[in-house]
Amino acid sequence: MFVTALAEAAGRIQACLEDALADRADQKVVHAMRYAVEGGKRLRGFLVMEGARLHGVGPETSVHAAAAVEALHAYSLVHDDLPCMDDDALRRGRPTVHVKWDQATAVLAGDALQSLAFELLTREALGPAGRRLALVSGLARAAGAEGMVLGQALDIAAETAAEPLTLDEITALQAGKTGALIRWSAEAGALLAGADPAPLGRYAAALGLAFQIADDILDVEGDAGKAGKRLNKDAAAGKATFVSLLGLEGARARAKALVEEAEAALQPYGAEADILQHCARFVIARDM
Amino acid sequence: MFVTALAEAAGRIQACLEDALADRADQKVVHAMRYAVEGGKRLRGFLVMEGARLHGVGPETSVHAAAAVEALHAYSLVHDDLPCMDDDALRRGRPTVHVKWDQATAVLAGDALQSLAFELLTREALGPAGRRLALVSGLARAAGAEGMVLGQALDIAAETAAEPLTLDEITALQAGKTGALIRWSAEAGALLAGADPAPLGRYAAALGLAFQIADDILDVEGDAGKAGKRLNKDAAAGKATFVSLLGLEGARARAKALVEEAEAALQPYGAEADILQHCARFVIARDM
């Protein structure tokens, strides 16, 4: 049920992004943008579309906001993979953008994908101007130096810090690095309907942290072939992770408690929120 | 008169940017953002504020849009200066961001400055939601893979092309690389007032090209100390410029004709547009 909804959302999002990037200049930077937005789980875009559906907003409307957050997420991955950042050669089972093309193309493709994200949020199909503007404002904050970029900067600083991060510090880091965008995604559907985003915000805060803990567990236990990226790199770099701080069993227990917290936040929506309930459980059980 | 107006706009824009970056995390990436938005001519921000004034929109309103385009311009300079792009160590007479800090900080500071630009455009002080949204949409297009990023990509591609660019190709390149943002800046004031942006758009198209030709002339004739950046690098790299294609006298004549075109576009505004007239003449006479 969740898997079907995720796949359906992914298909719509991919079509929307391909359409947005059609008829562009025949340049490396445009080819790299198309490549960078292909594949991925589309978890963020799915959250947008499912949160919208819960509020009576259909996919033909919400897909533009879902595509926007996936374009923004894709930009962050392209830049994170750069040699001066995480220096990764593999992403989603394929060469990263700077490996397939070059670093300049990766910087520029990421930059243009961020612009594209904001352009998509201005589309008339998303409804009244005030609501679109709330999405733009929220995404700009979630992406910037008080959200995702701050989290990434803290992550890089942690690599050269004298002491490993504490649990509070790593929680704050992840709230920025992955949490801010996941939260925006979950709240976007409510904003599109002019509804209160607070329940979905609580859901997303717990989900985002559970997702990161699951990622740390996968980093230790996973299969690089299935994950489509290099694994075990945090432990190899001597960086603190939820697993190093809580132990494998402790991390699993914390993720489970967070999933219960996420599920509790969905109570106001009743059975309508079943797919989001499944999503929360799936995130910590994933083998993807 | 133009110089006074430019200095006054620059002061207001700097204060707005400092305010936007106050009370942020004490992190390298935030320090680098503050550093990157210091100084510069503020030509783009000035065009926003002067275009707004022509339409009866005051500086306390327009300064937020002016600060947005200067944040976006600052991001583009930080990324352009990276080793994998233009590899410049000096900007505005000071070390570039990746030299003063490191490349990861430069990538992240640029990324967050782009987010900040869009965040600034959502501020309520800018007026009705529909007008703010038109600014967001226009800036996203001007910055992205059909505007500034495309121009930069074409510029990089030209470095390894078998043949030097033709005059048409270099004109198209500059329309993206510097022209799109200058045009957005000039049109923003009309959009803020809900007025027709076409006259200011024609003014900016001519001004932007004149500006770039003047830059190429300065690159050959200028004083690196005054310019605050490395000069003569295009000629050294064997790249076509307006000077290499038209000759020094031909380039001067073309810039002069463009300034006359820019001045003609301002006719509908009469004497009210005197400062923008001065601006156009100043751009090709500059020694800054």
Side-chain angles (χ1 to χ4, degrees):
Chain A
M1 180 178 185
F2 159 65
V3 172
T4 314
L6 184 65
E8 199 194 313
R12 284 180 182 270
I13 293 164
Q14 184 62 38
C16 182
L17 287 166
E18 280 173 17
D19 181 64
L21 290 170
D23 305 318
R24 299 250 173 162
D26 182 22
Q27 289 291 327
K28 271 197 298 187
V29 66
V30 176
H31 305 162
M33 289 170 77
R34 289 197 188 104
Y35 180 83
V37 298
E38 280 167 17
K41 292 182 287 292
R42 307 294 192 195
L43 176 66
R44 292 157 190 79
F46 160 78
L47 289 172
V48 172
M49 296 183 74
E50 187 58 22
R53 192 189 64 76
L54 271 185
H55 292 88
V57 175
E60 66 292 344
T61 298
S62 62
V63 70
H64 305 284
V69 75
E70 290 293 339
L72 199 111
H73 178 53
Y75 121 64
S76 77
L77 298 180
V78 172
H79 282 189
D80 283 2
D81 288 337
L82 283 167
C84 68
M85 305 272 277
D86 292 352
D87 194 13
D88 274 308
L90 199 62
R91 165 74 64 186
R92 296 171 180 171
R94 304 188 304 175
T96 47
V97 171
H98 68 273
V99 168
K100 191 167 168 75
W101 285 277
D102 50 65
Q103 289 187 51
T105 300
V107 171
L108 289 171
D111 288 345
L113 283 170
Q114 180 172 186
S115 304
L116 177 65
F118 290 106
E119 189 185 331
L120 286 166
L121 289 181
T122 66
R123 288 189 167 180
E124 278 184 27
L126 284 166
R131 293 180 190 171
R132 285 181 272 160
L133 210 54
L135 292 176
V136 170
S137 171
L139 190 65
R141 282 167 198 276
E146 289 175 297
M148 189 176 76
V149 163
L150 178 62
Q152 178 68 7
L154 292 171
D155 200 22
I156 291 172
E159 285 174 22
T160 53
E163 301 281 326
L165 295 187
T166 64
L167 192 59
D168 279 354
E169 287 170 335
I170 206 167
T171 303
L173 185 163
Q174 295 304 342
K177 190 173 176 181
T178 57
L181 220 53
I182 287 177
R183 186 165 185 152
W184 180 91
S185 303
E187 292 178 344
L191 293 176
L192 276 173
D196 178 15
L200 287 176
R202 282 191 292 274
Y203 165 79
L207 180 79
L209 192 51
F211 182 79
Q212 189 53 49
I213 295 175
D215 220 48
D216 283 357
I217 294 171
L218 192 70
D219 197 47
V220 174
E221 290 200 318
D223 174 326
K226 279 191 194 165
K229 60 182 178 182
R230 186 159 56 91
L231 293 178
N232 219 359
K233 61 185 182 182
D234 286 340
K239 279 165 76 174
T241 69
F242 287 103
V243 174
S244 74
L245 287 163
L246 298 170
L248 199 49
E249 282 318 302
R252 281 210 192 91
R254 182 85 184 95
K256 190 159 173 290
L258 284 162
V259 166
E260 282 158 17
E261 203 177 311
E263 290 176 333
L266 294 174
Q267 288 304 327
Y269 297 105
E272 271 294 295
D274 274 0
I275 295 180
L276 287 180
Q277 301 276 14
H278 287 193
C279 171
R281 289 195 291 274
F282 197 83
V283 153
I284 63 161
R286 76 199 150 117
D287 180 26
M288 57 197 283
Chain B
M1 181 179 186
F2 159 66
V3 173
T4 314
L6 184 65
E8 200 194 312
R12 285 181 181 269
I13 292 164
Q14 184 62 36
C16 182
L17 288 166
E18 280 172 17
D19 182 62
L21 291 169
D23 305 320
R24 298 249 173 163
D26 182 23
Q27 289 291 327
K28 271 197 299 188
V29 65
V30 176
H31 305 162
M33 289 170 77
R34 289 199 188 102
Y35 180 83
V37 298
E38 279 167 18
K41 292 182 287 291
R42 306 294 192 196
L43 176 67
R44 292 158 190 80
F46 160 79
L47 288 172
V48 172
M49 295 183 74
E50 188 58 21
R53 192 190 64 77
L54 271 186
H55 291 89
V57 175
E60 66 291 343
T61 297
S62 62
V63 70
H64 305 283
V69 76
E70 290 293 340
L72 200 111
H73 178 54
Y75 121 64
S76 77
L77 297 180
V78 172
H79 282 189
D80 282 1
D81 288 338
L82 283 167
C84 67
M85 306 271 279
D86 291 352
D87 194 12
D88 273 309
L90 199 62
R91 165 74 64 186
R92 295 172 181 170
R94 304 189 304 174
T96 46
V97 171
H98 68 273
V99 168
K100 191 169 168 74
W101 286 278
D102 50 65
Q103 288 187 51
T105 300
V107 171
L108 289 171
D111 288 345
L113 283 169
Q114 180 172 186
S115 304
L116 178 65
F118 290 106
E119 188 184 331
L120 286 165
L121 289 181
T122 67
R123 288 190 167 178
E124 279 185 27
L126 285 167
R131 292 180 192 172
R132 284 182 271 160
L133 209 54
L135 292 176
V136 170
S137 172
L139 191 64
R141 283 167 197 275
E146 289 175 298
M148 189 177 75
V149 163
L150 178 62
Q152 178 69 7
L154 292 172
D155 200 22
I156 291 172
E159 286 174 21
T160 53
E163 301 281 326
L165 296 186
T166 64
L167 193 59
D168 279 353
E169 287 170 335
I170 206 166
T171 303
L173 185 163
Q174 295 304 343
K177 189 173 176 182
T178 56
L181 219 53
I182 287 177
R183 186 164 184 154
W184 180 91
S185 302
E187 293 178 342
L191 293 177
L192 275 173
D196 177 16
L200 287 176
R202 282 191 292 275
Y203 165 78
L207 180 78
L209 192 51
F211 183 79
Q212 188 54 49
I213 295 174
D215 220 49
D216 283 357
I217 295 171
L218 192 69
D219 196 47
V220 175
E221 290 201 317
D223 174 325
K226 278 189 193 168
K229 60 182 178 182
R230 187 158 55 91
L231 293 177
N232 219 0
K233 60 185 183 182
D234 286 340
K239 281 165 74 174
T241 69
F242 288 103
V243 174
S244 73
L245 288 162
L246 298 170
L248 200 50
E249 281 318 302
R252 280 211 191 91
R254 182 85 184 95
K256 189 160 174 291
L258 284 162
V259 166
E260 281 159 17
E261 202 177 310
E263 290 176 334
L266 294 173
Q267 289 303 327
Y269 297 104
E272 270 295 294
D274 274 359
I275 295 180
L276 287 180
Q277 302 274 14
H278 287 193
C279 172
R281 289 195 290 274
F282 197 84
V283 152
I284 62 159
R286 77 199 149 117
D287 180 27
M288 55 196 284

